[in-house]
Amino acid sequence: RVLPKLSESLSGREGSVRRKRAAILVLAALGTQDAVHLLFHHLMLTPDSSIRFNLIWALNRIRASGERREFDREIIHKEIFNEVERYVSILSALQGYRKQVPSPEMNGGTLWVVLEAMRIQNLERIFRLLALLYAGDIILVIYNRLSEPEPDPSVQAHAVELLENVLEPRLAR
């Protein structure tokens, strides 16, 4: 009886972010297979990046609980590809901005900061989705190495190589 009400809270654009996040927290706490299905259902429908993050977080929490739950690999693959597509768009915008503004990191202003924050959040969503498919500790190490503020190029190269070895060929391309 509670799941339809939670689904209703997550549906529609007019619902408040606070109510949606509360519904997601309840679903994560329930941790049932039906909760997993509902979280995936709304992940596929939700364009809002912050709500998508919360949905993915809840799925990660349920997976980490150790309960045996089925996670639909096809949906996860689809959502990874969607997030990668967003990531590529953000990178394209950052590169275009870099061409227009010399040293945008230093004097790019608000647009640069917003685009960079979007890129970082998007990358985290990608890796949280990957953690639903693969060993979370390995994915976390790779994510941490790739998202370091002042990265060592050789460390990043090793992280990319590890990622390529972990991912199935369909995702590695």
Side-chain angles (χ1 to χ4, degrees):
R1 233 170 21 156
V2 72
L3 289 176
K5 293 229 181 259
L6 292 170
S7 183
E8 186 179 312
S9 294
L10 288 168
S11 296
R13 294 184 182 270
E14 63 279 346
S16 77
V17 171
R18 178 179 286 165
R19 186 171 59 201
K20 289 179 180 184
R21 286 188 176 142
I24 293 167
L25 286 173
V26 171
L27 288 167
L30 287 173
T32 64
Q33 188 63 55
D34 287 338
V36 169
H37 290 307
L38 196 56
L39 289 164
F40 274 124
H41 172 75
H42 286 284
L43 180 62
M44 291 185 299
L45 299 175
T46 303
D48 182 301
S49 295
S50 68
I51 298 300
R52 287 180 63 77
F53 176 85
N54 292 125
L55 290 162
I56 296 166
W57 171 87
L59 289 163
N60 283 128
R61 182 168 173 195
I62 292 170
R63 184 174 189 266
S65 74
E67 295 288 328
R68 289 237 183 244
R69 301 291 181 247
E70 293 291 320
F71 290 84
D72 190 320
R73 295 180 72 81
E74 287 305 310
I75 293 173
I76 297 169
H77 285 140
K78 181 179 175 285
E79 293 306 318
I80 289 170
F81 289 127
N82 288 340
E83 291 293 343
V84 167
E85 193 173 288
R86 288 183 181 104
Y87 188 78
V88 169
S89 295
I90 294 166
L91 282 180
S92 176
L94 282 165
Q95 289 169 347
Y97 194 72
R98 180 172 273 140
K99 288 178 183 174
Q100 300 297 320
V101 178
S103 301
E105 305 85 5
M106 303 299 242
N107 54 19
T110 306
L111 181 58
W112 177 264
V113 171
V114 169
L115 288 171
E116 188 60 22
M118 288 172 62
R119 183 193 67 76
I120 291 167
Q121 291 166 358
N122 185 263
L123 188 64
E124 185 173 355
R125 286 192 306 275
I126 292 168
F127 275 87
R128 284 184 175 273
L129 285 164
L130 288 171
L132 294 173
L133 295 174
Y134 306 105
D137 54 343
I138 292 172
I139 296 300
L140 179 62
V141 167
I142 296 168
Y143 171 74
N144 286 337
R145 294 307 159 258
L146 293 177
S147 61
E148 289 176 347
E150 295 182 27
D152 176 333
S154 68
V155 170
Q156 279 197 323
H158 290 301
V160 168
E161 182 179 348
L162 178 58
L163 182 62
E164 289 172 347
N165 289 327
V166 169
L167 296 181
E168 55 199 80
R170 178 177 167 191
L171 290 174
R173 55 184 175 103

